[in-house]
Structure formats: structure tokens, C-alpha cells
Amino acid sequence: MEILRPHLQRYWQEIVGAVLAVIVAAVTALWQPHLLQAVLSAILTNDGVLVKRYGIELIVVALIGILAGVANVFFAARLAQGVTSDLREETYRKIQTFSFGNIEHFSSGSLVVRLINDMNQITNFVMTLVMQLIRVPVLFVGSFILGVVTIPRLWWVEVSLITIIILVAYFIFKRMGALFERVQTYMDKVNLQVKEELQGIRVVKSFNQEGKQQADFNQTSEQLNQVDLVIGYLFSASFPIFTLVSYLGVALAIYLVAQTVTIHPQEIAALSAYITYLTILTMAIIIGGMTSMAFSRGLVSLGRIKEVLVTKPDVEFEQSGFKGKLQGNVTFKEVSFAYPDAKEGDLSLADISFQVQAGQMIGIVGATGAGKSTLAQLIARLYDPTAGTIEIDGHDLKTLSEETLRQTVSFVLQKALLFSGTIESNLKQGKYDATSEELERAIGIAQAAEFVNRYQEGLGHEIEERSANLSGGQKQRLSIARGVVGQPPILILDDSTSALDAKSEKLVQEALAKHLQNTTTFIIAEKIVSVLKADQILVLDQGRLVAKGTHQELLASSPLYQEIYVSQKAKERMVAVDD
């Protein structure tokens, strides 16, 4: 509940309105049976004046109750929607501060469910809180007292009714609380499976795996369905049981009054009011049980949201961190790194040290899994090193402000990710206030102008969801353009030309060398030909820096580099012969 408190305080007017309205609605509901009893008593005594008077009062009280009920729903809805909207925004902002490690811990599918399904449960929770939390106790206590006042000798009927219904509600709703936790877990799994299948639909269809994917989804969906069915069965069984107990109480009251009607004739007029109070008492207990169930489900969702909000980002920036222009000198000092979920001692990078001067081009090569991308992610501070320090212009990355670091380091991933929107809106993610000239310069460097200018809308061309209307090479070139549009002091290209043909890749590299002479460029490449002109090449093997130097120096001194180079040359000759 503590995560709701600051948001509830912002809507104190809605809370006051909802509380006052629900109290008025509850009081009018309790007063109507009393007026009905007065009307019946007046009818039995043939007093027309009192019948008219109490009849008018009954109508007025009913109208007041209706208006109060409408007001309660109005204020409760405003409160619930406002609080949920604010909490959703707070949670989304928190997610934006997460590092890669935090996202992987929760999984993107689970975070989506928390932002949508769990927030819907919290909306219902807040609605129930202000609509029923006060109403139920007022109706329960009021109907019990007024029932005893109406026919005092039948007090034990109410006590018996309360005991039976509370025992039944306890056993039913207690089980539902555990079931709701399972529902949210299965919803996470369903959402994750759907997301992965839709994102990888080409792979699924290419390998004819539709049947297996369908079977996996059906299994998880059936698990969710079974839990939902159990909840449904409990719901469907609870109402008939509650109704049966209530009717038995009413029947017992009628029977007892009928047995002594000659002794207590005044109870004939009071019987209708007493039955109404019994009904209100029963409904108060039932609504209380339903409220506790909604609370149970809401508390589960609140717990899942709280888990996100209290999670400390693996990578945190100091608000008082260094702010200023950096040139791009990079230094690694005995840097080691292990992923958060790695076993103890299982390092992805171990004791890496090197120094890079601003404006240099650095190649990073090595076998798959050698730690090339991991090293690049550390430069962009997507992760923090487990040991050692990384410096830019002598400043430890941890002492830089987030704004400064993001303006200094631009990261172009191998898997080009573009968002739905226009080409221009995607490029401006690299620099939100980029001018038309800067955008044109960026697409020129990335060799994207040739296809962008063919579009009638040019930079205003719409990119579809998951950039489905672009080829792999086009996406990579636009991704490179987004990376260079801000003219960053440090540019990291993580195998980001893998989808380009040899000619386009060469043109991109020549443009980068020509237009980004003052930019420190890290090129992660599978092909050595991509880094031949680098000022320095880092050779990684199983997370260790085993060699560094120029291409010629490494050919003369590094057996691993020689092995990679010779094997790639052999493959090129085989391809040439086949052609």
C-alpha cells in the first residue's frame, strides 16, 4: 500500500467525495426498511396521513441514495483511473532506468504484463477500496443493530447467519488468493510466448515449427485456463451457497414470527423490514468477501509493481556527475566482468587493459563468445565492470552524468532496431534537435541516401512495425545514420555492417574515416577485412585480451590473429573458385 500512498494524496478531493457519497448511500439503504415498516404500520392502523407522509419520505430517501451511489461511482472512477495512470507512468519511468541486467531479470514479457494486466487489477483494487471499504462495515453494523431493534427476540438468527456465511466465505476466498498469484504467473508465460513467436515468426515458418509453437502455447494456455476454471467454479458455487443461507434465515424468521403472531401482532409490520435487514446483512458479508478477494488480487499486483519500483538499477548515475564535452580518449584498467546470473568465477572478460587516443579507429576481433560485444557494452556503460575501471578523458565512467555519457558514446548494434514512425523520427533519436542538414549528412555517411531519396516522402517515409518494409541492409544503414547524426566523440559499431555487401561496407568505412576524423571509433567485426585500416586491433580470446597492434604487427606476432586471418582468406578463395 505504501506505493499507492503518495498517489492517493494527490486525489484527496476525489477520496473525500467518494467517502461522503458512500456513507450517504449506505445510510439511505439502511433507513429505507425503517420507513417501509412505518408505512406498513400506518396502513394497518388505516392512517392515510401517515401513509402519505412516510411514502414521500421513502421516495426522497431512495432518490438521495441513487444520487449518492452515482456520485460514489463517479469519484471512485476518477480516483482509480488517476492513481493507476500515475503509478503506470512511475513504473514506466523506473523501467527506463534499468540496465540490461535488470531487464533480463524481469524479462520484457513480464514487464509488459505488469504495466497492463497488473495495472488493471490495481484499478479494480482502488475502485473497490473507496466504494466498499466503508460501505460494507456501515451496512453490516447498521443492518445488525437495526435488525435487533426491529425484532429483538430474533437476534440469534442474525448471529447464526453471520457465523455460517463468514465460515463459508473464509474457506472459499482464502483459496482464491493463492490462485490469483498463479494466474499472474501464467499470464507472464503466455505473454512471453506470444511475443517471442510473433517476433520470430519468420524463423518459425522457415523451419515449419508452427505445430510445436502451437503445442507449447496450448499447454501454457491450458494451465492458465485450468486455474481460471477453478476460480470460476468457486465463484459459481459461492453465490448459490450464500443465497441459500440467506433464504434459510429469512424462512426461519418468517416461521418464528408466524408461530407467535397472536402474541406479537406488531411484528407483522416489522417482518418486512427485518427480512430486508437480514438481506442487507447477508449482502454486506458477501460483498465483504468479494472485497477481500479483490484486495487479495490487487495486493498480488501491487506486490509485482512494488518489486519493479524497489529494484535498484544495476547501473546508476550520479546527479552531480561530470558534465562537459569529452574528446574520446578511452582507457581500460584491469577490467573484468561477469554477467549478473553467471556462476561465481565465470568471467566474460578478465583483466583487460588498453588505451585509445581520441580520433583513433579501433578494431575488435575474436571468435564467437570471446567477449567482443561485452567489451563494447562496458564502454557505453550498459553494464558496470565487476572489477577495474574504465575512463574517458581520465574520468571514471561512474563519475559521468548520464547526459554526458549518452552524448559522448553512440552505440550501433548488429541487430538494427528501428521504431514505427518516420525515418526522420528514428534518426532524431540520435539527436532530437538535428537539423535537416545534419540528417542529410548522416544518411550520406551511412550510404542510406541512395534508397531514402527514392522515397517520395524522403525522410518522412513511414517505417512499419518492426521495420518490416525495409531490408536488413537498409535497416543497418539507417541504424548507422542514427548513430552518427549527433557526431559523437565515441562511436561503437557492433558488427553493424554485417548485412551490407562488400562495396557498401567499404563506402561506409571510407565515409566514416573522412567525416568522423575526430571520433574514436570501435569496430567489432567477424571479418578481419573490416578492420584492416584500424589504428589498433584488439584480439580477444575467451574473455582475455591476448594481442593488440596494427594489422601488420599482429600478422607478425599473434598466432591467433594469424589463424583467423588465414582461415578467412581460405574461405574467400573457396568462394571465388565456386563462383
Side-chain angles (χ1 to χ4, degrees), residues 36-270:
L36 181 60
Q37 178 184 349
V39 171
L40 292 175
S41 297
I43 292 174
L44 291 175
T45 58
N46 199 25
D47 190 336
V49 176
L50 287 178
V51 170
K52 182 177 181 181
R53 173 188 164 188
Y54 288 127
I56 293 174
E57 288 184 16
L58 186 61
I59 293 173
V60 171
V61 169
L63 289 175
I64 293 174
I66 292 173
L67 292 176
V70 172
N72 176 242
V73 173
F74 172 77
F75 287 118
R78 281 178 58 90
L79 173 65
Q81 293 297 332
V83 168
T84 306
S85 177
D86 293 346
L87 185 61
R88 183 185 293 112
E89 291 175 6
E90 180 187 3
T91 306
Y92 186 77
R93 286 196 301 270
K94 182 60 182 248
I95 292 173
Q96 296 303 305
T97 68
F98 282 173
S99 67
F100 278 20
N102 295 123
I103 298 295
E104 290 170 358
H105 169 72
F106 284 103
S107 86
S108 56
S110 176
L111 290 173
V112 170
V113 171
R114 292 171 200 242
L115 283 172
I116 299 175
N117 183 267
D118 285 301
M119 287 299 176
N120 290 337
Q121 297 305 325
I122 292 173
T123 299
N124 296 333
F125 173 81
V126 176
M127 284 280 290
T128 304
L129 185 70
V130 293
M131 291 180 66
Q132 307 297 353
L133 188 61
I134 297 176
R135 181 168 178 252
V136 168
V138 171
L139 290 177
F140 178 80
V141 176
S143 61
F144 180 80
I145 294 174
L146 291 174
V148 172
V149 170
T150 303
I151 306 180
R153 68 188 184 89
L154 297 183
W155 64 270
W156 60 273
V157 175
E158 295 182 72
V159 173
S160 301
L161 192 67
I162 292 171
T163 303
I164 295 173
I165 292 180
I166 287 179
L167 287 175
V168 173
Y170 173 78
F171 286 110
I172 291 177
F173 296 136
K174 180 182 179 182
R175 189 177 180 188
M176 283 188 179
L179 292 173
F180 287 140
E181 292 187 20
R182 293 175 61 189
V183 166
Q184 296 305 117
T185 300
Y186 286 133
M187 289 195 69
D188 281 350
K189 293 179 64 176
V190 167
N191 184 76
L192 179 62
Q193 286 181 337
V194 171
K195 177 186 174 184
E196 288 182 342
E197 182 172 352
L198 292 179
Q199 288 182 339
I201 190 65
R202 294 180 180 177
V203 176
V204 172
K205 290 186 173 297
S206 297
F207 291 95
N208 194 28
Q209 290 296 304
E210 294 92 339
K212 182 181 183 302
Q213 293 294 326
Q214 182 67 48
D216 292 343
F217 178 81
N218 287 347
Q219 181 180 0
T220 306
S221 181
E222 183 60 25
Q223 291 173 328
L224 175 60
N225 182 52
Q226 290 301 320
V227 178
D228 281 334
L229 283 176
V230 174
I231 293 175
Y233 293 150
L234 291 174
F235 263 122
S236 60
S238 61
F239 284 103
I241 293 174
F242 292 144
T243 304
L244 176 61
V245 173
S246 176
Y247 285 168
L248 289 175
V250 171
L252 179 61
I254 294 174
Y255 173 77
L256 294 174
V257 170
Q259 292 298 310
T260 58
V261 68
T262 56
I263 303 174
H264 306 286
Q266 75 279 2
E267 291 181 350
I268 296 177

Side-chain angles (χ1 to χ4, degrees), residues 138-436:
V138 171
L139 290 177
F140 178 80
V141 176
S143 61
F144 180 80
I145 294 174
L146 291 174
V148 172
V149 170
T150 303
I151 306 180
R153 68 188 184 89
L154 297 183
W155 64 270
W156 60 273
V157 175
E158 295 182 72
V159 173
S160 301
L161 192 67
I162 292 171
T163 303
I164 295 173
I165 292 180
I166 287 179
L167 287 175
V168 173
Y170 173 78
F171 286 110
I172 291 177
F173 296 136
K174 180 182 179 182
R175 189 177 180 188
M176 283 188 179
L179 292 173
F180 287 140
E181 292 187 20
R182 293 175 61 189
V183 166
Q184 296 305 117
T185 300
Y186 286 133
M187 289 195 69
D188 281 350
K189 293 179 64 176
V190 167
N191 184 76
L192 179 62
Q193 286 181 337
V194 171
K195 177 186 174 184
E196 288 182 342
E197 182 172 352
L198 292 179
Q199 288 182 339
I201 190 65
R202 294 180 180 177
V203 176
V204 172
K205 290 186 173 297
S206 297
F207 291 95
N208 194 28
Q209 290 296 304
E210 294 92 339
K212 182 181 183 302
Q213 293 294 326
Q214 182 67 48
D216 292 343
F217 178 81
N218 287 347
Q219 181 180 0
T220 306
S221 181
E222 183 60 25
Q223 291 173 328
L224 175 60
N225 182 52
Q226 290 301 320
V227 178
D228 281 334
L229 283 176
V230 174
I231 293 175
Y233 293 150
L234 291 174
F235 263 122
S236 60
S238 61
F239 284 103
I241 293 174
F242 292 144
T243 304
L244 176 61
V245 173
S246 176
Y247 285 168
L248 289 175
V250 171
L252 179 61
I254 294 174
Y255 173 77
L256 294 174
V257 170
Q259 292 298 310
T260 58
V261 68
T262 56
I263 303 174
H264 306 286
Q266 75 279 2
E267 291 181 350
I268 296 177
L271 183 59
S272 176
Y274 184 78
I275 291 174
T276 303
Y277 287 130
L278 280 183
T279 303
I280 293 175
L281 184 64
T282 304
M283 291 306 299
I285 299 173
I286 295 173
I287 294 172
M290 299 293 292
T291 300
S292 66
M293 185 185 60
F295 279 8
S296 177
R297 189 165 192 176
L299 289 173
V300 169
S301 293
L302 277 172
R304 286 161 55 83
I305 296 300
K306 181 181 178 181
E307 187 182 359
V308 175
L309 294 177
V310 301
T311 296
K312 186 177 180 180
D314 294 338
V315 176
E316 291 187 294
F317 290 87
E318 297 180 6
Q319 293 184 352
S320 59
F322 173 80
K323 297 179 181 180
K325 184 72 174 177
L326 297 175
Q327 294 181 342
N329 300 289
V330 179
T331 303
F332 272 56
K333 295 181 178 179
E334 300 178 349
V335 172
S336 297
F337 175 76
Y339 285 99
D341 57 349
K343 296 180 180 179
E344 186 176 355
D346 187 7
L347 297 176
S348 297
L349 293 175
D351 198 26
I352 303 292
S353 297
F354 63 86
Q355 190 169 358
V356 175
Q357 300 299 319
Q360 286 188 330
M361 177 183 290
I362 307 300
I364 305 176
V365 298
T368 301
K372 303 185 296 296
S373 295
T374 302
L375 187 147
Q377 290 171 355
L378 294 181
I379 299 174
R381 209 188 168 197
L382 301 180
Y383 294 98
D384 275 337
T386 306
T389 58
I390 303 172
E391 297 178 352
I392 298 180
D393 291 358
H395 299 280
D396 190 327
L397 287 188
K398 296 180 181 180
T399 66
L400 300 180
S401 68
E402 184 174 12
E403 180 181 3
T404 296
L405 180 61
R406 300 306 175 215
Q407 290 177 348
T408 300
V409 182
S410 182
F411 201 148
V412 182
L413 301 171
Q414 176 183 6
K415 184 179 180 181
L417 176 61
L418 302 176
F419 296 88
S420 55
T422 63
I423 293 177
E424 181 178 356
S425 67
N426 272 273
L427 296 186
K428 283 189 173 182
Q429 289 175 340
K431 184 181 181 184
Y432 72 94
D433 58 350
T435 63
S436 299

